[in-house]
Amino acid sequence: GGVDTDARGAAGPDPGAEAEEPPSHVCMWTFVPESDHELAAEAGELLILLKHMNDEWSLCRKPGGSKKACVPKSYVGTIEEAREQGIAILPAPAPEPAPEPAPEPTPAGTGDAAVVPTTTTQGAAVVP
């Protein structure tokens, strides 16, 4: 018995979006990196927290970005924490569309015209 409610809700993972987990954290203050191992992030920018490296650094990635780099752990807060502190959360960037393969250019006058022997190469066209 019981009413069958939709138990999946909004919390469940969206099928087909396995590659991109939703960002759950926010950079609380603008962070300017000092090395290539650090991730530049604006205050309010959404971050995907991959793991806490130690007490000082968190490994993060930006939504839609591929670079994984560190942000100071104290700069990384949850979306709820950012809202409580009144930090304006920046919208996540739209994922860049995959570049379409350019269609093969079809030369004008396609068809049998390209196969006809010309008089310039052989001196005389071969006529049956």
Side-chain angles (χ1 to χ4, degrees):
V3 182
D4 185 26
T5 56
D6 188 7
R8 284 170 300 171
D14 184 31
E18 290 128 18
E20 185 68 54
E21 63 243 70
S24 55
H25 289 72
V26 177
C27 186
M28 307 288 272
W29 301 276
T30 297
F31 175 61
V32 180
E34 294 176 12
S35 79
D36 196 45
H37 306 292
E38 299 169 8
L39 188 67
E42 298 283 320
E45 193 164 7
L46 290 165
L47 295 173
I48 296 166
L49 175 66
L50 301 171
K51 64 177 178 177
H52 292 301
M53 304 293 285
N54 52 38
D55 289 339
E56 294 180 19
W57 295 98
S58 299
L59 185 66
C60 296
R61 182 168 63 80
K62 294 184 184 183
S66 58
K67 179 176 179 175
K68 299 173 185 175
C70 292
V71 176
K73 189 175 176 182
S74 59
Y75 281 58
V76 179
T78 64
I79 291 173
E80 289 75 26
E81 286 170 343
R83 288 200 179 114
E84 283 170 17
Q85 298 206 21
I87 294 168
I89 297 171
L90 304 175
E96 291 183 17
E100 296 268 328
E104 289 289 312
T106 47
T110 48
D112 299 340
V115 198
V116 175
T118 57
T119 51
T120 51
T121 50
Q122 297 171 356
V126 182
V127 180

